[in-house]
Amino acid sequence: MILKYPTLATIVAFSLFSVAVLAADPIAKPVVSASTGASSEQASIHVDAKIPLASALTTAQTAQTSVSSADTSTSTLNPQSSPVDALSQQQDSSTASSNPPSASHMESVIVNASSENASTKAIETSPDKNTEPSNPPSASHMESVIVNASSENASTKAIETSPDKNTEPSNVTFSVPPVSKPAPVFTSEQEKQIGEVGREYLLAHPEILLEVSRKLQIMQREQQDRAMAKAVLEHLDVLLNDKSTPSYGPTDAKVAVIEFFDYQCLVCVQQASVLNTLMKANPQVRYIFKEWPIFSSRWENSMTAAQTGLQIWLQNGADAYLSYHNAIFATGHNEGKLTLQDIHKASRESGKLKGNKSGMLDLLVQNDILALSLGFRGAPGLIVLPITGASEDNITVILGGANQDALETSIEKASRQ
């Protein structure tokens, strides 16, 4: 006998079979609609829980067995009965044989699972394993699985990543509070009053400006001395060990005094007298003379005197050079007054010279480059330093000349190591 109206057991079996299909294809989300002809009640079943395929099929088979029993029992219905009576007899027979959950209870469970089960992975097993559980789950157990999957769905889909999906990161926006400007310490009116008070005080005490100026000069000079001492350290070898540079004093001296000078420089003439006295008082110091004819573009004999001095040093040695050096300054002819006769007379007293002075020009160019690298912009320029163990703290750089006391202090400073 063919039934015109589906039984409740048929609905349950079909629902469980849908769950099994979804477990095999978790992407598909079918919607199964079932209608009870007797009461015309409709229930939409939405399934999205992943249930092991073998377990679901076993459960579906169990349910199908129940359906077969129900169909067998309904085959004895009176063919003359009305559809309503037949349905009532069928429901009574099914209730007596299998005792499944009531229709309202089953509808509540399935609908509840549909409304809350968005994309939960309740139970995940490998599709490659074709093993069936030894104890197939019952219909009540399946109901429990669906309910548990529904209740835990809220937190399980926090983050879901699939290697087959090209997902893009979500845009995250941070709200940065605006930086407010600090409140002014004084109002505009207060600042104006403070300015007026300061102006009146400076007008009443102008000596403060001189004090500030002196303080600024000291700070600038200290910064300059540090910079020039650092430059000296970078050029120690050419300052102390250049064999083409005239020097006088013991080879094992502990301290060296280096002078950059021009024979036509007025201050250099005055410095020469101070150095002569210093050399006599400090014979243990080595004195190095860097010929630097900075006035040669104005007075030609500035260059001629410098070239002659280097030639005497290279050919006749330290004593001959020092004699020539002092003789040129002793003429008192500076700032363009030095003559060729002065140069020849001083050189004759220092010994006979061979060759010409043309080869000395390159040495003078090197001295000029060195002086500018050290920060000198005029002559004379003096450096007092230890020959070994030089540092920024024991180097003294003097611009524009110095008296004997200042040089003695610098020698003592360089002697302390």
Side-chain angles (χ1 to χ4, degrees):
M1 175 180 181
I2 300 176
L3 296 178
K4 295 181 180 180
Y5 300 96
T7 64
L8 178 60
T10 303
I11 297 174
V12 173
F14 187 71
S15 300
L16 294 176
F17 181 75
S18 300
V19 171
V21 172
L22 287 177
D25 186 7
I27 298 177
K29 297 183 180 180
V31 178
V32 181
S33 299
S35 302
T36 58
S39 59
S40 300
E41 295 177 354
Q42 295 182 350
S44 297
I45 305 173
H46 299 269
V47 182
D48 193 23
K50 291 183 180 179
I51 302 174
L53 179 59
S55 176
L57 289 176
T58 302
T59 306
Q61 291 174 359
T62 304
Q64 185 63 33
T65 302
S66 299
V67 172
S68 299
S69 300
D71 291 340
T72 302
S73 62
T74 54
S75 64
T76 59
L77 293 175
N78 187 359
Q80 302 299 323
S81 301
S82 66
V84 176
D85 295 336
L87 180 60
S88 299
Q89 293 177 12
Q90 180 183 3
Q91 290 176 350
D92 293 341
S93 176
S94 299
T95 303
S97 60
S98 59
N99 294 324
S102 63
S104 60
H105 174 71
M106 195 63 189
E107 179 182 351
S108 175
V109 171
I110 296 175
V111 171
N112 192 24
S114 170
S115 61
E116 298 182 3
N117 182 33
S119 59
T120 305
K121 297 179 181 180
I123 301 175
E124 183 173 358
T125 59
S126 174
D128 296 334
K129 295 180 181 180
N130 297 320
T131 59
E132 296 182 359
S134 59
N135 295 320
S138 62
S140 60
H141 175 72
M142 282 297 299
E143 174 185 337
S144 175
V145 169
I146 295 175
V147 172
N148 289 337
S150 173
S151 62
E152 296 177 1
N153 181 55
S155 61
T156 56
K157 196 180 176 183
I159 300 175
E160 183 176 355
T161 305
S162 174
D164 298 332
K165 295 180 181 179
N166 298 323
T167 58
E168 296 182 356
S170 59
N171 295 327
V172 180
T173 303
F174 296 94
S175 178
V176 179
V179 179
S180 59
K181 295 182 179 180
V185 179
F186 302 103
T187 64
S188 299
E189 183 63 27
Q190 290 174 333
E191 291 178 351
K192 182 179 179 181
Q193 294 177 358
I194 293 173
E196 292 177 354
V197 171
R199 178 177 178 277
E200 292 176 359
Y201 184 84
L202 291 176
L203 290 174
H205 304 278
E207 67 277 6
I208 293 179
L209 297 177
L210 296 177
E211 183 179 351
V212 171
S213 178
R214 285 193 295 267
K215 179 65 176 179
L216 178 60
Q217 291 177 359
I218 292 173
M219 292 175 59
Q220 291 175 340
R221 180 59 186 273
E222 289 176 349
Q223 294 175 356
Q224 184 183 44
D225 290 346
R226 287 286 181 182
M228 296 189 74
K230 184 177 179 180
V232 168
L233 291 174
E234 295 174 355
H235 298 85
L236 275 180
D237 185 61
V238 68
L239 286 170
L240 297 175
N241 303 318
D242 185 6
K243 301 301 181 181
S244 63
T245 299
S247 64
Y248 189 87
T251 57
D252 60 348
K254 304 295 183 181
V255 177
V257 176
I258 305 172
E259 180 190 23
F260 287 79
F261 67 95
D262 185 326
Y263 286 114
Q264 288 296 277
C265 168
L266 177 60
V267 181
C268 293
V269 173
Q270 299 170 352
Q271 190 66 55
S273 176
V274 175
L275 284 177
N276 280 332
T277 304
L278 185 69
M279 292 173 68
K280 294 176 181 178
N282 298 274
Q284 78 284 1
V285 176
R286 183 177 165 193
Y287 299 89
I288 300 173
F289 302 94
K290 292 288 188 180
E291 301 273 358
W292 190 25
I294 58 175
F295 292 113
S296 60
S297 60
R298 184 183 303 180
W299 303 304
E300 182 180 355
N301 286 336
S302 172
M303 175 66 72
T304 303
Q307 290 176 317
T308 303
L310 289 178
Q311 190 177 18
I312 292 173
W313 157 256
L314 293 174
Q315 294 184 18
N316 300 331
D319 290 334
Y321 173 80
L322 186 61
S323 175
Y324 169 82
H325 178 85
N326 290 333
I328 293 293
F329 279 123
T331 63
H333 297 164
N334 50 69
E335 293 185 333
K337 300 182 179 66
L338 186 66
T339 64
L340 287 176
Q341 290 77 11
D342 294 333
I343 296 172
H344 292 157
K345 180 181 179 180
S347 64
R348 284 194 299 267
E349 295 175 356
S350 301
K352 187 178 180 180
L353 299 177
K354 301 176 183 179
N356 55 49
K357 301 180 288 291
S358 60
M360 304 299 105
L361 182 60
D362 291 340
L363 300 178
L364 295 175
V365 171
Q366 293 177 10
N367 286 347
D368 181 62
I369 295 174
L370 177 60
L372 295 176
S373 299
L374 295 173
F376 290 125
R377 296 296 181 265
L382 295 164
I383 303 172
V384 183
L385 75 163
I387 293 178
T388 60
S391 67
E392 293 184 13
D393 296 328
N394 55 25
I395 295 175
T396 302
V397 180
I398 301 173
L399 304 176
N403 56 32
Q404 185 170 344
D405 290 339
L407 292 173
E408 293 279 4
T409 301
S410 299
I411 291 173
E412 181 181 359
K413 174 184 175 181
S415 300
R416 298 192 301 265
Q417 297 184 33

